[in-house]
Amino acid sequence: MTALTQYDRLEASGLFTPGDGGQRRDVVLSIGSASLTLTDQRDVALAHWSLAAIERLNPGRRPAIYAPAPDAPERVETGDDEMIRAIEKVRQAVSRARPKPGRVRLRLTFAAIMAGLAVAVLWLPGALTRYTASILPEAARMALGEAALARITPYAGAACDDPAGTAALRTLIGRLGASAPAQVHILPAGLREAAHLPGDTVLLNRSVVEDHESPQVVAGYILAEVDRAALNEPMLGLLEHAGLRATLTLMTTGSLPEASLSGYGETLLTSTPAPLSADTLISRFEAAGIPATPYAYAVDVTGETTLQLIEADPVPADAARPLLTDGEWVALQGICGG
């Protein structure tokens, strides 16, 4: 996040209040490129908050009190002036990036009128949906992705969040390089192996981390879903489900009617994954430095349907760099609490 370029290694002490009513504890706050990490005195990660979503609960007062979202029960407070300035700088940058009434609404209204004329004359609702998906800012994509995840939770459960497992997952994501998605959530049930949401978010079933013997398999599922999202714009699928009227509402107001996402969770969980090109997938594995063979055998234990991935594996097993230590891999496998 460019707003934090000068704060790459900023750390400060704070006091963390967990959301389960547990005892308050001393923590160390550290700022990353897009997140605020809370670790205890043993350097164990307790929480990982998106800087774009953090809310300050007592503006203008010290110590500053923050929460990961407006309705989240967790709290952290800090009196460190440099840390407070850094967090407030990000919050101001996010606020400026959000759609404002006036110019933005006028532009979206004009776009809606022009798109409405095209629909009326040419009867091309698909074109309007594609256009809307293409102009949405990243903040709106992330917000809609979070709304979509909320629709999945009743069927798949809340994302697993064991602290040690979450830290290991972050490490794995960081080692995928430029192919890494912004977010990966492990869901306890309901989901096929993998899916993706708007906002560059990948979802994995807990079986992907629990039923295999190597983090290379988990990395493979993530890379495959990133490739699938690149071929099939997730925002387009969400807007097609919401419908034309809801898409027009999004263009004119900046938000989707809540009812328009009804049934989206069931649709995503039961849809058949789009096929992938072995050539493009091999290129993605090569760019990330991840061997494709473990993933290929995880998808098809016989290797018959994934033979091309095996034969053209760009990274030999003996040349692959370690993704996680043994301890981190065990922690990741326990992210859902066993």
Side-chain angles (χ1 to χ4, degrees), residues 77-88:
E77 57 183 85
T78 180
D80 187 277
D81 291 337
E82 191 73 4
M83 177 63 71
I84 294 171
R85 279 195 294 270
I87 295 175
E88 292 302 316

Side-chain angles (χ1 to χ4, degrees), residues 209-280:
V209 298
E210 294 179 351
D211 294 352
H212 301 288
E213 298 181 357
S214 167
Q216 293 172 346
V217 175
V218 181
Y221 274 102
I222 294 173
L223 292 174
E225 206 58 35
V226 168
D227 199 45
R228 190 171 281 114
L231 297 173
N232 303 276
E233 165 63 67
M235 182 57 66
L236 191 59
L238 186 146
L239 293 181
E240 288 174 346
H241 176 88
L244 181 59
R245 180 175 296 180
T247 300
L248 287 168
T249 300
L250 175 63
M251 292 185 68
T252 55
T253 68
S255 61
L256 279 175
E258 185 173 348
S260 67
L261 292 179
S262 177
Y264 180 76
E266 301 98 307
T267 298
L268 185 72
L269 295 176
T270 58
S271 59
T272 302
L276 296 174
S277 162
D279 290 336
T280 60

Side-chain angles (χ1 to χ4, degrees), residues 48 158-173 184-188 204-211 218 222 324 327-338:
H48 187 74
C160 301
D161 59 357
D162 174 80
T166 301
L169 180 60
R170 288 198 304 272
T171 299
L172 178 63
I173 295 169
V184 177
H185 295 297
I186 311 295
L187 301 183
L204 297 178
N205 188 290
R206 66 185 298 177
S207 63
V208 172
V209 298
E210 294 179 351
D211 294 352
V218 181
I222 294 173
L324 297 174
E328 288 171 331
W329 174 229
V330 170
L332 180 57
Q333 289 188 299
I335 192 171
C336 293

Side-chain angles (χ1 to χ4, degrees), residues 105-128:
R105 182 163 294 184
L106 181 61
R107 184 178 64 183
L108 289 175
T109 301
F110 176 75
I113 292 172
M114 297 303 295
L117 288 174
V119 171
V121 174
L122 303 176
W123 193 246
L124 291 176
L128 174 61

Side-chain angles (χ1 to χ4, degrees), residues 300-325:
D300 181 354
V301 69
T302 69
E304 293 180 2
T305 62
T306 54
L307 185 60
Q308 188 173 348
L309 291 178
I310 298 169
E311 292 183 339
D313 193 336
V315 182
D318 57 1
R321 68 181 189 278
L323 292 175
L324 297 174
T325 65

